[in-house]
């Protein structure tokens, strides 16, 4: 590709509304162009990278035996009514009506459509198991589209679905897909982790997420330093036993804490470490107006876990000020479990506390030196908090660390939720109709591009991993317009590298060398050859890896070999 015939639309300044580095660099490199909130055009440079991700995904899906299909983006409401999701999916679903006043949605996912295709076309167990995939545009009307294509409204997904007569077959395909996902993310050159996405299911989990590790990631991932255990913090389980509380050595006292509301304020005021303060949170209950959740003050409530408790209302909601006042007789800052007449749920770690401080259910007052059994009745321990770094791994091996991740893939054993609702059945060996069981497997193809940049950049721009680079090598001629010799050599190199099957960007623009260098660095081409008269006089060209600090002079005759050799590394 000659840059004179390629839209290089680079920016020097960082766009003000781009918060994270991948969004900034995708705009600065001219990879994407914003059309509306969360809706982007992929420009020629960006599309080349997107296509590279697609190619890897397609090859590994084909290798895993999945068959490619292409489903419509427009989906009739009736299908979603059949599955029961039309009313449930909520504002994420973009719906509209056609001229006949029939309702449709722009597909946020395709379980309904694929299940319909299969029930119409797959009749016998002999055609099973079967997996289908597509690489297709989705629309989700996200509450907060942000970070460019990272959390977009319109985005490119690879979605695959598998169909089986029984759960054993589903488990086998799930495992094959898991391997395909590992192969895909290995090939992209990104650092990633596969994590359990289902609570409590250590080993044989029915759902895994794939996360690219990056500080800007929206998810927190807990992993063990001694085993393979890794899970989304949303779902990671804490130690499931309550340690024996320390011995009660202090007498319980009522202390004045005027104006101290947050647990941090109270701890500071009472000169106690946060670990010595009990936090009481009131949330809406199922059968009672509120339920109290007790946590060590340095721990965070996990809403996903709490919502699963029978006593707690779903969807999860904190009690409001009026409800707090009615239940505890005070403001949110002074609630405590003593004398509180509501169901009480205590985290395991809260039950291990001794001589602690907590609210006294009276504004401006707390209790200190409180102890379980002696001052308030023991309750059963629950897992209702987020794990923190330093917690023991729930599989009993090692200690947990926490890193941030970007969810780029998700595989899931769906079971028969959709097939049953939509009556997708097949004849088994005995000629009997059986409801199919399903798996689904997604990859955020466009999100992978942004995630790759989050992991690979420096102050000059993007540092593409080889497999995703829009071009393998850049040829930058000095004084192309004036030097016949430079032109000849550059053209020859361009022809030879292209003939060798490489993606070459020949920067034949009438620009100053500094501008060309800055652009090639910004767009992140892994290798660069600079052709100038001075070097050529000695039979040399200048070679530089984007990731290296220094360039080196190499013999012109060796340039093609040098570049291709690097590619095969
Ligand atoms: P998230 O938790 O990030 O909202 P999700 O769990 O809703 O994602 P899935 O339904 O599992 O997403 O979709 C499969 C994949 O599609 C995700 O793993 C993610 O990589 C990608 N994806 C989901 N939502 C978006 C989005 N708004 N923009 C870009 N990619 C997305
Ligand atoms: Mg997901």
């Amino acid at each position: 590709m000659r840059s004179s015939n390629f839209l290089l639309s680079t920016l020097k300044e960082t766009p003000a509304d781009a918060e994270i580095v991948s969004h900034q660099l995708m705009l600065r490199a001219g990879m994407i162009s914003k059309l509306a909130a969360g809706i982007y055009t992929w420009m020629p440079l960006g599309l080349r990278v997107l296509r590279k991700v697609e190619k890897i995904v397609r090859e590994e899906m084909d290798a895993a035996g999945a068959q490619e299909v292409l489903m419509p983006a427009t989906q009739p409401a009736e299908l979603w009514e059949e599955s029961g999701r039309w009313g449930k999916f909520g504002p994420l679903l973009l719906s509209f009506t056609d001229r006949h006043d029939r309702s449709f949605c722009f597909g946020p996912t395709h379980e309904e459509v694929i299940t319909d295709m299969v029930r119409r076309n797959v009749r016998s167990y002999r055609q099973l198991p079967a997996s289908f995939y597509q690489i297709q545009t989705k629309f989700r009307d996200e509450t907060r589209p942000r970070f460019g294509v990272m959390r977009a409204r319109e985005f490119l997904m690879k979605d695959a679905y598998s169909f089986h007569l029984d759960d054993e077959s589903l488990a086998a395909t799930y495992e094959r897909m898991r391997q395909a996902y590992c192969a895909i993310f290995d090939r992209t050159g990104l650092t990633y982790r596969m994590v359990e996405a289902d609570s409590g299911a250590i080993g044989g989990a029915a759902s895994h997420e794939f996360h690219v590790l990056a500080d800007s990631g929206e998810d927190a991932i807990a992993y063990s330093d001694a085993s393979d255990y890794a899970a989304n913090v949303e779902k990671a389980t804490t130690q499931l036993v309550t340690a024996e509380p320390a011995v009660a050595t202090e007498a319980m006292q009522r202390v004045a804490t005027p104006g101290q509301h947050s647990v941090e304020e109270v701890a500071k005021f009472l000169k106690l470490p946060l670990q010595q303060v009990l936090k009481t949170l009131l949330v809406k209950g199922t059968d009672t107006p509120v339920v109290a959740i007790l946590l060590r003050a340095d721990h965070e409530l996990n809403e996903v876990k709490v919502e699963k408790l029978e006593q707690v209302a779903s969807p999860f909601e904190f009690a409001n000020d009026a409800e707090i006042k009615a239940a505890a007789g005070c403001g949110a800052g002074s609630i405590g479990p003593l004398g509180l007449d509501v169901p009480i749920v205590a985290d395991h770690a809260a039950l291990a506390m001794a001589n602690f401080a907590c609210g006294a259910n009276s504004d401006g007052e707390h209790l200190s030196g409180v102890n379980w059994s002696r001052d308030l009745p023991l309750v059963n321990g629950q897992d209702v908090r987020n794990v923190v770094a330093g917690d023991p791994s729930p599989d009993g091996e090692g200690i947990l660390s926490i890193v941030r991740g970007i969810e780029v893939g998700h595989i899931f054993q769906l079971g028969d939720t959709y097939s049953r609702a939509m009556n997708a059945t097949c004849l088994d060996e005995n000629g009997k109709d059986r409801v199919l069981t399903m798996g689904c497997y997604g990859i955020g193809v466009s999100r992978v591009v942004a995630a790759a940049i989050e992991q690979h950049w420096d102050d000059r721009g993007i540092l593409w991993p080889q497999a995703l680079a829009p071009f393998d090598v850049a040829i930058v001629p000095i004084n192309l317009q004036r030097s016949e010799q430079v032109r000849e050599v550059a053209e020859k190199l361009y022809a030879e590298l292209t003939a060798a099957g490489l993606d070459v960007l020949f920067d034949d623009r009438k620009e100053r060398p500094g501008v060309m260098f800055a652009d090639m660095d910004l767009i992140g081409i892994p290798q660069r050859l600079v052709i100038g008269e001075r070097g050529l006089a000695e039979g040399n060209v200048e070679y530089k890896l984007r990731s290296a600090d220094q360039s080196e002079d190499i013999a012109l005759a060796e340039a093609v070999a040098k570049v291709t050799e690097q590619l095969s590394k």
Side-chain angles (χ1 to χ4, degrees), residues 35-40 72-75 80 89-96 105-110 134 136-143 145 152-157 159 446:
L35 179 64
I39 303 180
Y40 291 85
T74 310
Q75 307 184 8
W80 285 68
F89 213 83
L92 225 51
L93 195 69
L94 175 67
S95 55
F96 47 90
C105 68
F106 193 116
T109 176
H110 279 70
Q134 64 172 346
Q136 192 257 6
T137 300
K138 301 280 183 273
F139 193 98
R140 294 183 182 178
D141 205 351
E142 299 275 357
T143 335
R153 294 200 292 169
E154 191 175 306
F155 60 97
L156 195 64
M157 196 200 284
D159 44 329
S446 44

Side-chain angles (χ1 to χ4, degrees), residues 59-321:
E59 285 173 6
E60 296 300 333
M61 281 295 114
D62 291 343
Q67 308 168 57
E68 186 165 4
V69 293
L70 184 56
M71 293 182 260
T74 310
Q75 307 184 8
E78 290 84 55
L79 270 188
W80 285 68
E81 272 156 6
E82 261 192 79
S83 72
R85 284 210 286 186
W86 185 252
K88 269 198 218 148
F89 213 83
L92 225 51
L93 195 69
L94 175 67
S95 55
F96 47 90
T97 50
D98 69 3
R99 65 172 80 204
H100 306 295
D101 220 25
R102 292 191 193 106
S103 295
F104 290 85
C105 68
F106 193 116
T109 176
H110 279 70
E111 282 84 5
E112 282 83 357
V113 180
I114 195 77
T115 304
D116 181 65
M117 187 282 270
V118 166
R119 74 176 166 185
R120 287 173 193 276
N121 297 283
V122 177
R123 306 223 160 68
S124 152
Y125 69 94
R126 288 195 193 87
Q127 294 164 296
L128 296 174
S131 305
F132 305 96
Y133 78 96
Q134 64 172 346
I135 296 177
Q136 192 257 6
T137 300
K138 301 280 183 273
F139 193 98
R140 294 183 182 178
D141 205 351
E142 299 275 357
T143 335
R144 275 186 70 208
R146 63 202 154 124
F147 305 156
V149 298
M150 189 77 90
R151 183 165 295 284
R153 294 200 292 169
E154 191 175 306
F155 60 97
L156 195 64
M157 196 200 284
K158 185 285 296 179
D159 44 329
Y161 308 88
S162 66
F163 293 85
H164 315 265
L165 267 196
D166 54 48
D167 289 345
E168 244 172 28
S169 166
L170 168 60
T173 296
Y174 184 81
E175 173 55 20
R176 183 66 191 86
M177 284 291 183
R178 193 188 65 74
Q179 288 166 8
Y181 271 53
C182 290
I184 288 167
F185 294 116
D186 283 343
R187 282 180 64 183
T188 58
L190 304 181
T191 307
Y192 71 95
R193 256 183 193 268
M194 182 183 85
V195 309
E196 275 169 27
D198 213 2
S199 59
I202 298 160
S207 175
H208 287 94
E209 289 171 356
F210 288 75
H211 285 262
V212 165
L213 303 186
D215 291 339
S216 61
E218 290 185 288
D219 290 272
I221 293 158
Y223 68 95
S224 165
D225 61 0
S227 73
D228 281 342
Y229 180 82
N232 199 315
V233 163
E234 260 183 16
K235 319 240 162 84
T237 44
T238 60
Q239 216 180 7
L240 293 180
V241 287
T242 304
E244 276 294 310
V247 189
T249 51
E250 290 176 26
M252 185 168 85
Q253 282 185 42
R254 188 171 279 266
V255 286
T257 48
Q260 314 300 316
H261 299 292
S262 70
V263 282
E264 287 79 11
E265 287 168 354
V266 171
K268 207 169 157 207
F269 186 81
L270 298 176
K271 300 194 174 60
L272 289 173
L274 261 188
Q275 290 91 316
Q276 201 79 24
V277 178
L278 183 85
K279 173 160 71 176
T280 308
L281 301 168
L282 297 185
V283 305
K284 301 215 164 147
T286 331
D287 299 323
T288 53
V290 301
V291 171
I293 314 280
L294 311 185
L295 291 168
R296 219 170 73 184
D298 59 321
H299 285 152
E300 244 176 56
L301 182 83
N302 181 311
E303 295 182 12
V304 179
K305 291 177 183 176
V306 171
E307 198 189 65
K308 285 188 183 149
L309 299 174
E310 225 173 86
Q311 312 93 299
V312 173
S314 173
F316 172 90
E317 215 182 313
F318 280 110
N320 59 35
D321 287 344

